[in-house]
Structures are given as structure tokens and as C-alpha cells.
Amino acid sequence: SNWSSSPFFPTNPGDSALFPSASATVIVSLGTPVSVAALTFNTASSYTIAQSSSGGTLILSATSGPASIGVGNTLTAGTISVNVPIALASDLVLTNSATAVGGQLNRLAINGVISGSNGITVNGPGEVALGGNNANFSGNFLVTNGGTLTSGGAGFGRGAVAVDSGLLQIGATGFSAPPITTSLTLDGGAVAYT
């Protein structure tokens, strides 16, 4: 599927995109810059937002309050992957309501490079994994509501990380010390090096 600028596809600040249930993995290609306030995935299987050969950036811009990317608790067999560059024009809330089912980890993977200085809040109970090299991202992270934020180190950018009630998991793969260049605050949360 291609994300188009047709009037049937959300492409403006404040717009929301709903990705419904699918019986198999769905790949959505993004070929131009697209501004939306919210992406919501209510599906049992995997989705991937991929960059087409002509490129494309996901600009997260809410007209009021934070922008959001959310995964419903219906995800039972896979990963929601956002593999395009992300420009934050608003604060962002990443919520993964899916939990492990039968040993299958259900993950929200933000693999595109994040730019901007707005803050990111990670809500649980599921895992949010950062796969991009976000060295130029200067916003802060807050992990709360039992969420798990995972990265090899470069994903955290240059901002502060606070773990209120959740887990910050720093992987050895791609680890570059120090993984957090400003500060880490624990207030009822935990840090694990894997």
C-alpha cells in the first residue's frame, strides 16, 4: 500500500491515521513528507511504515496537545515498525498497549531517525524499541505507566531520560558509551543493560 496525498489519506497537521486489523503483514510506503497528529494501529498482525525510493518523512504535528503513535492491545503476533525519518513538531506520546503473548514479544519499533527538540513519553505496558541513530535529537524521554524503552544507546539522543514507572533497557548491540549524554533520573523505574 502507498500513502498518498489523495483526499482519503491524512496528510495535514492535526490529522489522524488509523491502521485497521489485517490478516497478514502490511507494508505502507511513504514517498513524500506527511504531517499527522496521530497514528493508531488496531491490528493483530504487523505493520511497517517504510520509505519509498523517492523518500518521505513523517512529521508529527498536533494542533493541540501531543502527537501520538499508539498500538492497541489487539497486537498478538508481531511488530509495528516505523522505518521512516520522524520530525517532531510537537511533543510525542508512544503507547504500546500490547504485551507478550505466548512468549511472542509484541513491539513498537521506531527505526527511523528522530529529529527535533520536543519531548517523547513512552507509555506501557508494552515495549518501544528505538533503532535509529538519534544523535541529533535533543528532546527528553519519559518512561511511565509500566512502559519499556529499549535502545542500543544511540537511540536516546542528547536529551535527558527519566524513568517514572517502567524499564529503560540498554542493549549491548550498537552500544556507544555514554548512552545518555545529559542525565538519567529513576523515580520508581529500573535500568537494565542487556
Side-chain angles (χ1 to χ4, degrees), residues 31-111:
T32 60
V34 172
S35 292
V36 294
L39 302 178
T40 304
F41 297 88
N42 288 324
T43 181
S45 60
S46 298
Y47 265 89
T48 298
I49 307 295
Q51 204 172 31
S52 74
S53 59
S54 58
T57 299
L58 183 61
I59 303 163
L60 294 170
S61 179
T63 54
S64 65
S68 65
I69 299 176
V71 177
N73 63 3
T74 57
L75 182 65
T76 58
T79 297
I80 303 300
S81 298
V82 180
N83 297 341
V84 296
I86 296 173
L88 295 184
S90 299
D91 286 343
L92 175 63
V93 176
L94 299 171
T95 302
N96 184 358
S97 297
T99 56
V101 176
Q104 167 70 44
L105 182 64
N106 298 301
R107 169 182 292 159
L108 170 58
I110 306 297
N111 297 319

Side-chain angles (χ1 to χ4, degrees), residues 84-164:
V84 296
I86 296 173
L88 295 184
S90 299
D91 286 343
L92 175 63
V93 176
L94 299 171
T95 302
N96 184 358
S97 297
T99 56
V101 176
Q104 167 70 44
L105 182 64
N106 298 301
R107 169 182 292 159
L108 170 58
I110 306 297
N111 297 319
V113 173
I114 301 169
S115 62
S117 59
N118 289 294
I120 298 177
T121 298
V122 176
N123 287 320
E127 179 184 356
V128 173
L130 302 173
N133 181 346
N134 301 317
N136 292 321
F137 173 64
S138 60
N140 297 330
F141 282 98
L142 170 63
V143 183
T144 189
N145 295 325
T148 298
L149 179 61
T150 303
S151 179
F156 300 121
R158 296 179 290 141
V161 178
V163 184
D164 183 23

